[in-house]
Amino acid sequence: MMSIMFIFGLTSLIANIMMMVCLVLAKKSIYDREKFSPFECGFDQKSSSRLPFSLRFFLITIIFLIFDVEIALILPAVANIILSNSFYWFTINTSFMFILFIGLIHEWSQGALEWSN
């Protein structure tokens, strides 16, 4: 029991000494020039980093992501056709596709899929 406590104490002492040595050796200046300078691909930026972008492009990107996630939900359903009841599988997938189709029609009627006005 005494040897276990001795080993634990010695290990703790060595760990604390190493932490103190690391703190002393790794002392860095608070006013480090490189940390406070802007970094953009290795060179200083010349213009503003906040450039305007097309809101139409952003909207089409969001629509693509929504339909991409829904495709990822449909793919396992195809593999699941063997394991499930065909009536329930057909009903669920038909209703899911119907909801997707209604969403597509709504986005089309609102003009969200047209790139130019």
Side-chain angles (χ1 to χ4, degrees):
M1 181 70 171
M2 195 64 150
S3 63
I4 293 175
M5 291 181 67
F6 176 73
I7 291 173
F8 178 73
L10 186 64
T11 306
S12 298
L13 181 68
I14 291 172
N16 284 327
I17 289 173
M18 289 187 68
M19 284 178 24
M20 292 297 189
V21 168
C22 286
L23 282 174
V24 170
L25 292 178
K27 189 72 175 168
K28 293 185 178 179
S29 172
I30 296 173
Y31 301 107
D32 192 6
R33 182 178 161 266
E34 294 299 320
K35 285 187 179 178
F36 288 114
S37 66
F39 182 76
E40 182 180 338
C41 299
F43 55 88
D44 291 334
Q45 61 184 10
K46 303 281 186 208
S47 62
S48 175
S49 62
R50 300 284 182 179
L51 297 176
F53 62 94
S54 172
L55 191 60
R56 182 78 65 189
F57 178 74
F58 179 74
L59 181 62
I60 288 185
T61 304
I62 296 298
I63 291 170
F64 169 75
L65 286 175
I66 290 170
F67 279 101
D68 192 41
V69 167
E70 290 170 352
I71 292 295
L73 292 173
I74 290 172
L75 286 176
V78 175
N80 204 10
I81 191 170
I82 298 169
L83 302 173
S84 64
N85 186 351
S86 61
F87 176 73
Y88 291 132
W89 183 88
F90 182 75
T91 305
I92 290 171
N93 286 319
T94 303
S95 61
F96 187 72
M97 294 299 278
F98 181 72
I99 291 170
L100 281 179
F101 186 70
I102 293 298
L104 180 66
I105 296 295
H106 176 70
E107 289 167 359
W108 196 350
S109 67
Q110 294 294 318
L113 300 177
E114 298 173 11
W115 185 256
S116 63
N117 292 333

